[in-house]
Amino acid sequence: MATPFTVYKLIVLYMLQNTEKTLTNSQISEFILDREYTNYFHLQQAISELVEAELITMDTRSNVSHYQITEDGIKTLSFFQKDLSPEIKQEVREYLKSTGFKAQERIVTPADYYITKQGTYSVRCQLIEKGNSLIDLNIAAPNLEAAQSICKKWSTHYQEIYGKIMEELL
């Protein structure tokens, strides 16, 4: 289970992933503080840490901070989104809809490799559409170069691979 501070960060990432536009500090704060998830200072610390980790970007226009999720932020959220309750996700979507923000129609294709306990390489490839996992594939790779190649090719070949798998299974 995620710590409360981690949940604040995940809420911010989820908010930014689910809008086509940037969100201002006051828009993020309004949602989180109105629901009393945390206080202002903890929220600002969470946002600051997300910027430092380059999971979100901040740009200032007319003395107003605007935030946008990065590809690393999307990837991170895809791995930890399960730690965010369905109720919070629904509240975020309702808030964004009520304030006129359009949901982001985004397809995310994270791929990463890791060394197993046995010392071999394993690659995890995912296809996520609108926050829903369509495929989560773990593949054994014979060596580091193969693992890196699989990760690199996944983002450009996921449609063909997913299509072939579905064709074989249906």
Side-chain angles (χ1 to χ4, degrees):
M1 189 66 189
T3 65
F5 196 71
T6 300
V7 172
Y8 312 148
K9 291 179 181 180
L10 291 172
I11 291 171
V12 172
L13 290 173
Y14 191 79
M15 289 180 77
L16 292 171
Q17 179 187 336
N18 284 282
T19 184
E20 290 180 346
K21 302 177 183 178
T22 61
L23 292 177
T24 65
N25 193 303
S26 63
Q27 290 164 327
I28 295 168
S29 298
E30 177 185 327
F31 174 79
I32 292 176
L33 299 178
D34 284 357
R35 285 154 186 81
E36 298 178 353
Y37 287 128
T38 190
N39 63 42
Y40 178 79
F41 299 105
H42 284 144
L43 175 59
Q44 295 312 307
Q45 181 182 354
I47 291 172
S48 176
E49 288 181 14
L50 289 169
V51 171
E52 285 177 29
E54 297 181 352
L55 299 179
I56 63 175
T57 58
M58 179 191 75
D59 70 285
T60 305
R61 296 177 235 150
S62 303
N63 292 328
V64 176
S65 297
H66 293 260
Y67 297 94
Q68 188 169 15
I69 193 166
T70 64
E71 287 301 316
D72 283 344
I74 293 167
K75 186 176 180 181
T76 299
L77 182 61
S78 74
F79 289 122
F80 296 102
Q81 189 166 273
K82 65 186 176 306
D83 292 332
L84 207 52
S85 76
E87 294 80 17
I88 291 175
K89 291 177 186 176
Q90 183 62 32
E91 284 182 5
V92 168
R93 290 189 300 269
E94 288 173 3
Y95 169 78
L96 293 172
K97 187 175 180 180
S98 72
T99 55
F101 288 94
K102 291 184 179 178
Q104 185 72 278
E105 301 290 327
R106 201 180 284 237
I107 293 177
V108 185
T109 58
D112 203 3
Y113 64 89
Y114 57 94
I115 300 175
T116 66
K117 290 179 184 175
Q118 296 78 22
T120 60
Y121 289 91
S122 186
V123 181
R124 181 180 187 200
C125 301
Q126 294 179 290
L127 174 57
I128 302 166
E129 183 178 39
K130 299 179 189 174
N132 296 314
S133 179
L134 299 180
I135 191 168
D136 193 339
L137 183 63
N138 284 299
I139 306 167
N143 54 44
L144 174 62
E145 294 77 24
Q148 291 170 332
S149 177
I150 292 168
C151 288
K152 185 177 180 181
K153 289 182 179 179
W154 175 250
S155 65
T156 56
H157 291 78
Y158 71 90
Q159 289 176 316
E160 300 160 40
I161 296 166
Y162 180 72
K164 286 178 184 177
I165 290 171
M166 292 305 289
E167 182 180 305
E168 289 296 319
L169 295 175
L170 296 177

